[in-house]
Each structure stands twice: as structure tokens, then as C-alpha cells.
């Protein structure tokens, strides 16, 4: 088969002049064009990434929201049976136990019904394909499969995996991330690495994907693609069947940034998810959106070879990209992605989280139905986003035109003569006159679901663009969304504040934050916000606080009897803006006397083993391994964590490892030493010894 480089034509609904007239009679907002227009709710190419929704919820979303609002495809989490461990972490599903389709998100029958429902709603279905590796942890899977040897599964025998002979590394773990052979023949975090150069393995992977294709799946996002050679991938694709629509399956690949391999190496085996695009958007929307005028020369991947995104399940957690916690800034970045002419766009929707490993809402590990009012952030339902999907479909392939930079925070541009958008990333409303290039007339503002209109006279429009919002309109009939979340797509009044406090406690004692504003209890300890101990000894919590507001706060501890202990330092102070903020503190270390040290250590581990730092200061656990600080593996093999410690202080520290059973391994050698000064931004660069 020939690998398709672009998403195949979606299941389109025909539209005629009669259909357009029916829209008008049904309450669609008519625009000034005299000739009949296609119904712009017809599905285009926008992909809704409904990450870790269960199959029944995906089916409902396709029918009720995605189809009626013009989305072209839905991308869902891995459907195979996977590891089921006691904490039900989200990454269970990226450790396949078997290629059986009874899994964490529902049964094989529910999966098939979901695919049919989405097709009936006019959408293609793409699944996450985890085919580089299988599970690192033994145990029992979501369909009851028991694995006692990670190299012996229902689908694979030990001979189907790479060994130290191919890896050229005795521990089998990827240590040298500049060595292509090691990246593609050794194990990622101890995940058994399949011999994709073996035709038997290629056939087994193809059989798993063909099983999904037979049920109607239209394509695949290839997880960890950089760990498989392009030749191997193309050999697998050659074994795939055509989809039920008669097309080649669409393939798009995860090639996580690094020194090697390059994203461009994978253009020959499918499209590539563009991490640089998302990074450029984060930089612009946390800085100057006027910088987006040079987006195409900023190192992003070619449009013909890429898929764009604002964030995904990995990068929203490791801080590389924006997340729902950035509130209106995050929404506005997605609005821009849908407006700008470039690659196939994706809209990410997932669940809310306070710790990076946190499980999705579930019952005994099985993901429960999505409730957009509790535990989930459903961006695809936002009226601004749904409106912009229709705008995106209406302007089609028209080029960006009439670019206008009014300030560092305010830009505007057209797509040919078919649509115009003005975008304001500032903290207050902005009024400007824009040369739209569009025909004179009155148009619906799709960002507020048609609640307001825009008048174009002489090709110009004078617009007052709300703070952290946009005004967008197009030449065609706009049908307001009736299944979207309430709201006008404009600015919200709160932003997420994440509190991280280092505090050692005894059993039964918890840490809280309390402060001067109502969202923090108004200094009433009975209304203090309890923090999560999931990252102990770092206690964390997320609170919605008013935007552009200064406030004071402190941490308290409460024991099982309700006795309250306040930290001894002065009140801490902070100020919110219109973007998410994170406040890192350490118990009894006053903000005025505190500085930050980012500990970085290069250390390889097997899956389930993590790296910690501990030291001579109270804020480093006072050498107590149970109070050691867990480091993040987001930039593995470098483990990092920023810790709040006193200024102008000398201390000692060491790194240690803890496995899933809690066994501790200290690094060798003498204690390390460090001395802070009176400024901030200190860091170490260490290697495990």
C-alpha cells in the first residue's frame, strides 16, 4: 500500500441550495452572500483528540457535538488490553498486555459501536497505536490476562524482543540519547522493545491494526515512532488493509524532540506531530502574539508533512506546552490554531489533574463516562472552539491575507476573502479598525456563538475585541452550537493557581493552604484548601483564583483531631494575571528568605523506579529517605526538580532511587555540597554515581 500523507477525505454530508435554505429557516444566521453556500457544518479536517474518554462517551460526543459542529475526525486512546496496576495511572494504557480489544475504555463490542456511531456522525476514527513495545510491569490486565514474564505475552515470545545483542548495552535501557541505534534497539524506560525488523513481528503488529481497520478504524497515531526505524514502519504499513471506505489508513507519528532521529526522517512513513509548533504558540501566547507573524520561519515542520497541536497528554503535564490550567490563554491559542492556515489541526480534550501520573475518573480502573462539569476539561465543546471549527471549514484552503499587527497583544488576519479574525491576548479590551478584505455586510461573530455581529463597510471593520478573546466571522451561513458548554467564548474571571509546598508530616496529618481571598478561605482554617500528598513530601493543589488580583496566603497542617499548626513565617504574597501561576514554597521558609535550586541529575532507571534528592536541610528532608523529594523524568534520562531552600546557605545532598516496592538505593561516593547566594535561579548539573 502507499502511505497517505494527508488525512483522507472525511465522510462528508452533501449540501445544496435547499439545505442552505433549510438552515436559514431553522435559525441559522444568514450572511450577505447572494449565491448558495455549502453548509459549513460539513466535516472538514479538524481532529478532536478525546484522550482517555471511554468508548460510550466518544460515541455520544461524535453524535451530539463533533458531527454537528463540523469536526472531521476523532482520535482516541489505545484500545488494546493493558496493564492494570493498583493506582490506575493514566499511562497503564501505554503498556499493552495483549492485542485484545476488551480494555480499560470498554469492550470490543462497545469499541465497534463507537466507530459506527462516529462514522454515522460524519467523522473518521483514529486510534493511538502502541506498537514499539509491550508492558514493563507484570501483573493482571484489564481483560484478565496474567503476565509473569514481561518478555512472554499472549502475542509475543521472548525471541520477538530486542536483546543486549542488538542493543549493545548490558542493561538494555536507552542511556545515550544521541545514539540512534540505542534509541531504536534498546528499551525505553524498561518497556520490552519489539524486533520490528523481523517480518514475523511486523505481521503481528499489522494483524492488530487490521483488526481495528476491519471494525472501521480509519488511521493511527503511532506512539513512540522515533524508537522504530522508518523502514520497519513502512514494511508494516505495506501489510495493512484498506479502510472500510476503501482508502489507505491515515498515519501520523509521535517523534518526540531530541538530537536524533529528526522529525524529517519520518516524512516518508506518514505525517509527524509538530512539537515545535506547539512550543512556538506557548512562547507567543505567554509573550507577544505579534511574534506569530513569523511563525512559518520559526522552525515549525512543513504543513504538508505535519499535524499541529497546542498540547497533548505528555506536554501539558511536563510543562513543555500550554494546558487547560492556562485558562483563556490556552483557549485563545487553540482559536489561533484553527484560524491560521497550516497543518491539520487537533483539539485536545482530557481530564483535570493535580499530579502528573493521576488516573482519569474511573471505577476500579475502568474509565467512567465523561462528565464535562466534573473532572474533565472539554475544550471541544467550548462555543469559541466549536465556532472556529466552522470558520476553519468555511475558509478552506484560502491563504492568510491582510495580516495586521496592532500591538504586541493584538493581531488580525484574513483567509482570502472568506473569513477574518481579530485576536486580543491582552488583559483589557482593545478597539481597532481592521482592513478585512471581505465584502460589505453584516456577519455573525462565531467566537461568541453568534451572540454579536460584525459590520464591514468599505472592506473595513471597527472591532472592540474583548480581553483574552477574539472576534471571527466568515462568508457563509453560521449555525450556532446548541450542544456546547454555556459561555460566550470571551474572557473568564478566574485563572488556575497551583500551590506546591514541601512539608514533612506524620501519619494522619495533612497540609492545607489558606489565604486572604474567598477562594482560599478568607483566612478561615475551616475553609482552607486541602492539598494532595500524591507527590509527598511535596503537597500540591490547584485553586481557581480571580484574575489580576493580589492576595496573601500561608500553609497550615491539620492532624486527625483537627488541630491546626500554622507555619511560622510571615504571610506569603502573590498576584494573579490572566495566565496560570505556580507557587513553590517550603514549610517555614519565608518567601523573603527563600531561593530556588533546580536539581538536575542524569540517571537511567527501569520502569517503576524513580529518582529523589535528599539532604541536610529541613527543606531537603534532613536525610530522611521517606521525606526525600521526587524528581521529574520529563526530560529523561535527566531527572529534575526545583526546590525552595534558604538563601545564603551551605548544605549537603545526595540522590537516591526508589523502586515500586519502596526499596532505596543510594548513589555511591561522598555527599555533594552546594551553597546558595542572595539571588535566585540556582541549579545543579549532576550525574548519578
Amino acid at each position: 500500500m502507499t502511505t497517505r500523507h494527508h488525512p483522507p477525505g472525511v465522510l462528508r454530508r452533501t449540501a445544496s441550495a435547499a439545505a442552505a435554505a433549510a438552515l436559514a429557516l431553522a435559525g441559522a444566521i444568514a450572511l450577505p452572500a447572494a449565491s448558495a453556500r455549502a453548509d459549513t457544518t460539513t466535516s472538514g479536517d479538524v481532529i478532536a483528540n478525546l484522550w482517555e474518554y471511554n468508548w460510550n462517551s466518544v460515541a455520544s460526543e461524535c453524535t451530539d457535538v463533533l458531527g454537528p459542529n463540523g469536526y472531521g475526525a476523532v482520535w482516541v486512546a489505545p484500545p488494546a488490553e493493558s496493564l492494570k496496576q493498583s493506582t490506575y495511572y493514566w499511562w497503564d494504557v501505554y503498556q499493552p498486555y495483549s492485542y485484545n480489544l476488551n480494555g480499560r475504555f470498554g469492550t470490543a463490542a462497545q469499541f465497534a459501536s463507537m466507530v459506527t456511531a462516529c462514522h454515522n456522525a460524519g467523522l473518521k476514527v483514529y486510534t493511538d497505536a502502541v506498537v514499539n513495545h509491550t508492558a514493563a510491569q507484570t501483573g493482571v490486565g484489564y481483560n484478565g490476562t496474567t503476565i509473569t514474564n514481561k518478555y512472554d505475552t499472549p502475542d509475543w515470545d521472548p525471541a520477538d524482543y530486542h536483546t543486549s545483542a542488538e542493543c549493545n548495552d548490558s542493561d538494555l535501557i536507552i542511556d545515550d540519547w544521541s545514539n540512534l541505534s540505542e534509541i531504536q534497539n534498546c528499551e525505553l524506560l524498561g518497556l520490552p522493545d519489539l524486533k520490528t525488523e523481523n517480518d514475523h513481528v511486523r505481521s503481528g503488529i499489522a494483524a492488530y491494526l487490521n483488526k481495528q481497520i476491519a471494525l472501521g478504524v480509519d488511521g493511527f497515531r503511532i506512539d513512540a515512532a522515533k524508537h522504530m526505524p522508518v523502514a520497519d514502519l513502512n514494511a508494516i504499513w505495506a501489510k495493512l488493509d484498506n479502510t472500510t471506505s476503501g482508502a489507505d489508513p491515515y498515519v501520523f507519528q509521535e517523534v518526540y524532540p531530541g538530537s536524533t532521529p529528526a522529525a524529517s526522517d519520518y516524512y516518508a512513513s506518514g505525517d509527524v506531530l509538530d512539537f515545535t509548533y506547539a512550543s512556538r504558540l506557548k512562547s507567543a501566547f505567554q509573550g507577544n502574539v505579534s511574534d506569530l507573524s513569523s511563525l512559518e520561519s520559526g522552525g515549525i515542520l512543513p504543513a504538508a508533512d505535519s499535524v499541529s497541536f497546542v498540547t497533548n497528554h505528555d506536554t501539558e503535564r511536563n510543562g513543555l506546552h500550554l494546558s487547560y490550567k492556562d485558562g483563556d490563554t490556552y483557549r485563545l491559542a487553540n482559536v489561533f490554531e484553527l484560524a491560521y492556515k497550516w497543518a491539520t489541526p487537533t483539539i485536545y480534550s482530557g481530564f483535570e489533574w493535580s499530579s502528573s501520573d493521576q488516573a482519569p475518573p474511573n471505577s476500579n480502573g475502568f474509565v467512567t463516562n465523561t462528565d464535562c462539569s466534573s473532572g474533565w476539561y472539554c475544550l471541544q465543546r467550548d462555543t469559541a472552539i466549536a465556532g472556529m471549527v466552522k470558520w476553519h471549514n468555511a475558509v478552506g484552503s484560502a491563504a492568510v491575507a491582510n495580516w495586521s499587527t496592532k500591538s504586541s497583544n493584538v493581531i488580525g488576519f484574513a483567509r482570502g476573502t472568506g473569513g477574518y479574525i481579530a485576536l486580543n491576548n491582552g488583559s483589557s479590551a482593545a478597539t481597532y479598525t481592521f482592513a478585512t478584505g471581505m465584502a460589505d455586510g453584516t456577519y455573525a461573530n462565531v467566537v461568541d456563538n453568534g451572540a454579536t455581529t460584525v459590520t464591514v463597510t468599505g472592506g473595513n471593520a471597527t472591532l472592540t475585541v474583548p480581553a483574552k478573546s477574539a472576534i471571527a466571522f466568515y462568508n457563509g451561513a453560521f449555525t450556532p452550537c446548541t450542544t456546547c458548554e454555556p459561555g460566550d467564548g470571551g474572557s473568564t474571571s478566574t485563572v488556575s493557581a497551583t500551590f506546591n509546598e514541601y512539608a514533612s508530616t506524620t501519619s494522619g496529618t495533612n497540609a492545607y493552604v489558606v489565604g486572604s481571598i474567598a477562594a482560599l478561605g478568607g483566612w478561615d482554617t475551616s475553609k482552607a484548601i486541602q492539598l494532595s500528598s500524591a507527590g509527598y513530601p511535596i503537597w500540591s493543589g490547584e485553586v481557581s483564583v480571580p484574575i489580576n488580583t493580589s492576595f496573601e496566603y500561608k500553609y497550615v497542617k491539620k492532624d486527625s483531631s483537627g488541630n491546626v499548626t500554622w507555619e511560622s513565617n510571615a504571610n506569603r504574597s502573590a498576584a494573579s494575571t490572566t495566565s496560570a501561576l505556580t507557587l513553590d514554597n517550603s514549610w517555614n521558609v519565608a518567601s523573603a528568605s527563600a531561593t530556588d535550586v533546580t536539581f538536575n541529575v542524569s540517571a537511567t532507571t527501569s520502569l517503576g523506579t524513580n529518582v529523589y534528592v535528599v539532604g541536610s536541610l529541613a527543606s531537603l528532608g534532613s536525610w530522611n529517605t521517606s521525606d526525600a523529594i521526587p524528581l521529574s523524568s520529563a526530560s529523561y534520562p535527566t531527572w529534575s526538580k526545583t526546590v525552595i531552600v534558604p538563601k545564603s546557605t551551605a548544605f549537603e545532598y545526595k540522590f537516591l532511587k526508589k523502586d515500586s516496592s519502596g526499596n532505596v538505593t543510594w548513589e555511591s561516593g561522598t555527599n555533594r555540597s552546594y551553597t546558595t547566594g542572595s539571588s535566585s535561579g540556582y541549579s545543579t548539573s549532576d550525574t548519578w554515581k
Side-chain angles (χ1 to χ4, degrees):
M1 61 165 279
T2 301
T3 301
R4 183 178 295 276
H5 246 264
H6 305 289
V10 294
L11 304 176
R12 294 188 177 273
R13 294 177 288 264
T14 59
S16 63
L23 276 173
L25 290 172
I29 299 175
L31 300 181
S35 59
R37 300 279 175 178
D39 176 1
T40 50
T41 63
T42 299
S43 297
D45 64 339
V46 179
I47 302 171
N49 179 4
L50 302 189
W51 187 66
E52 299 215 341
Y53 281 40
N54 70 22
W55 306 143
N56 289 341
S57 295
V58 174
S60 296
E61 203 71 10
C62 283
T63 302
D64 299 336
V65 178
L66 302 183
N69 287 289
Y71 287 85
V74 62
W75 160 19
V76 301
E81 181 190 13
S82 66
L83 163 71
K84 181 183 182 183
Q85 38 104 29
S86 59
T87 51
Y88 311 131
Y89 288 151
W90 64 261
W91 42 258
D92 280 6
V93 297
Y94 291 88
Q95 296 198 37
Y97 259 40
S98 78
Y99 292 149
N100 190 296
L101 297 181
N102 292 310
R104 184 171 194 176
F105 306 111
T107 65
Q110 289 170 329
F111 177 79
S113 295
M114 175 272 291
V115 175
T116 298
C118 292
H119 279 181
N120 290 341
L123 292 103
K124 294 289 188 183
V125 178
Y126 307 140
T127 70
D128 255 355
V130 184
V131 295
N132 170 68
H133 56 261
T134 55
Q137 297 184 26
T138 57
V140 180
Y142 277 90
N143 194 44
T145 295
T146 298
I147 292 180
T148 58
N149 175 358
K150 71 176 183 178
Y151 298 107
D152 190 2
T153 77
D155 304 289
W156 306 113
D157 296 320
D160 297 322
Y161 295 97
H162 285 131
T163 66
S164 57
E166 297 88 14
C167 173
N168 292 318
D169 193 321
S170 59
D171 69 1
L172 275 177
I173 304 297
I174 300 171
D175 300 311
D176 182 358
W177 288 81
S178 65
N179 185 321
L180 181 61
S181 176
E182 192 165 325
I183 289 170
Q184 296 183 336
N185 293 295
C186 300
E187 294 182 352
L188 172 67
L189 297 172
L191 297 159
D193 197 67
L194 286 165
K195 282 186 177 178
T196 51
E197 70 272 24
N198 183 295
D199 191 65
H200 166 70
V201 172
R202 292 171 175 175
S203 296
I205 291 171
Y208 164 56
L209 301 180
N210 280 331
K211 177 163 50 175
Q212 297 179 55
I213 290 171
L215 296 175
V217 168
D218 301 284
F220 307 97
R221 174 263 191 187
I222 308 304
D223 180 72
K226 70 182 288 180
H227 297 282
M228 295 172 280
V230 169
D232 294 359
L233 292 173
N234 279 333
I236 296 168
W237 307 161
K239 296 175 181 289
L240 296 186
D241 299 330
N242 284 341
T243 68
T244 53
S245 66
D248 297 331
Y250 175 54
V251 171
F252 57 115
Q253 305 159 104
E254 179 200 29
V255 181
Y256 203 88
S259 60
T260 188
S264 58
D265 295 342
Y266 286 79
Y267 298 162
S269 53
D271 285 346
V272 178
L273 286 154
D274 193 348
F275 285 79
T276 302
Y277 182 97
S279 295
R280 285 294 310 276
L281 260 59
K282 179 181 180 181
S283 176
F285 280 92
Q286 291 187 337
N288 300 323
V289 294
S290 56
D291 293 343
L292 293 169
S293 63
S294 60
L295 177 62
E296 296 177 23
S297 61
I300 63 176
L301 303 185
D305 300 301
S306 63
V307 173
S308 66
F309 65 99
V310 175
T311 200
N312 67 25
H313 64 272
D314 286 320
T315 62
E316 72 164 351
R317 285 168 170 76
N318 67 22
L320 182 61
H321 297 145
L322 295 169
S323 80
Y324 75 91
K325 297 185 180 187
D326 290 295
D328 295 321
T329 301
Y330 174 62
R331 178 192 292 110
L332 199 56
N334 280 272
V335 166
F336 174 86
E337 181 198 18
L338 291 168
Y340 196 76
K341 183 183 186 297
W342 199 246
T344 302
T346 64
I347 298 298
Y348 173 80
S349 174
F351 58 88
E352 297 172 348
W353 49 274
S354 58
S355 61
S356 60
D357 290 331
Q358 184 174 323
N362 68 87
S363 175
N364 193 31
F366 292 91
V367 175
T368 51
N369 291 341
T370 298
D371 180 352
C372 292
S373 64
S374 177
W376 296 83
Y377 185 82
C378 301
L379 184 65
Q380 80 284 358
R381 291 189 181 186
D382 186 280
T383 51
I385 300 303
M388 286 305 300
V389 171
K390 295 174 182 176
W391 191 98
H392 174 90
N393 294 343
V395 301
S397 61
V400 173
N402 291 350
W403 183 281
S404 178
T405 298
K406 298 299 185 181
S407 72
S408 61
N409 287 323
V410 180
I411 58 174
F413 58 91
R415 291 286 300 278
T417 59
Y420 193 85
I421 182 169
L423 183 149
N424 176 15
N425 194 43
S427 58
S428 59
T431 302
Y432 293 99
T433 298
F434 296 86
T436 69
M438 294 184 64
D440 291 356
T442 301
Y443 300 84
N445 175 16
V446 305
V447 175
D448 65 10
N449 207 29
T452 61
T453 57
V454 173
T455 299
V456 174
T457 304
N460 296 324
T462 299
L463 307 174
T464 298
V465 189
K468 288 289 181 179
S469 190
I471 294 174
F473 47 98
Y474 63 79
N475 188 16
F478 173 66
T479 305
C481 178
T482 58
T483 54
C484 293
E485 294 301 297
D488 61 6
S491 179
T492 59
S493 58
T494 61
V495 70
S496 172
T498 299
F499 294 87
N500 298 312
E501 164 79 345
Y502 177 89
S504 59
T505 60
T506 56
S507 179
T509 296
N510 295 298
Y512 297 72
V513 63
V514 66
S516 59
I517 55 177
L520 294 174
W523 293 121
D524 183 345
T525 57
S526 69
K527 298 178 182 178
I529 308 300
Q530 183 171 345
L531 305 179
S532 168
S533 62
Y536 184 87
I538 306 295
W539 296 76
S540 300
E542 183 182 334
V543 182
S544 294
V545 300
I547 63 172
N548 300 321
T549 300
S550 297
F551 58 91
E552 294 185 334
Y553 67 100
K554 290 186 79 169
Y555 298 98
V556 298
K557 296 178 182 178
K558 294 184 185 180
D559 64 19
S560 56
S561 299
N563 298 311
V564 175
T565 301
W566 288 80
E567 57 177 347
S568 60
N569 49 272
N571 293 347
R572 305 178 187 274
S573 60
S576 64
T577 61
T578 55
S579 295
L581 70 156
T582 298
L583 300 166
D584 295 317
N585 304 116
S586 187
W587 182 263
N588 282 341
V589 179
S591 297
S593 304
T595 188
D596 58 295
V597 177
T598 300
F599 291 89
N600 300 296
V601 61
S602 178
T604 57
T605 61
S606 58
L607 198 65
T609 296
N610 295 294
V611 179
Y612 297 71
V613 64
V614 67
S616 58
L617 298 175
S619 49
L620 286 173
S622 299
W623 296 117
N624 184 345
T625 59
S626 64
D627 292 332
I629 297 173
L631 307 184
S632 167
S633 62
S635 298
Y636 184 89
T638 298
W639 296 74
S640 302
K641 185 70 175 182
T642 299
V643 179
I644 304 303
V645 299
K647 291 179 179 178
S648 303
T649 300
F651 59 89
E652 293 184 332
Y653 69 99
K654 289 189 81 169
F655 298 102
L656 56 88
K657 296 178 181 179
K658 294 183 186 180
D659 65 19
S660 56
S661 299
N663 298 311
V664 174
T665 302
W666 287 85
E667 62 173 343
S668 61
T670 59
N671 296 342
R672 303 176 186 271
S673 61
Y674 197 90
T675 301
T676 58
S678 58
S679 59
S680 61
Y682 299 100
S683 65
T684 75
S685 181
D686 299 315
T687 300
W688 177 269
K689 57 184 180 181

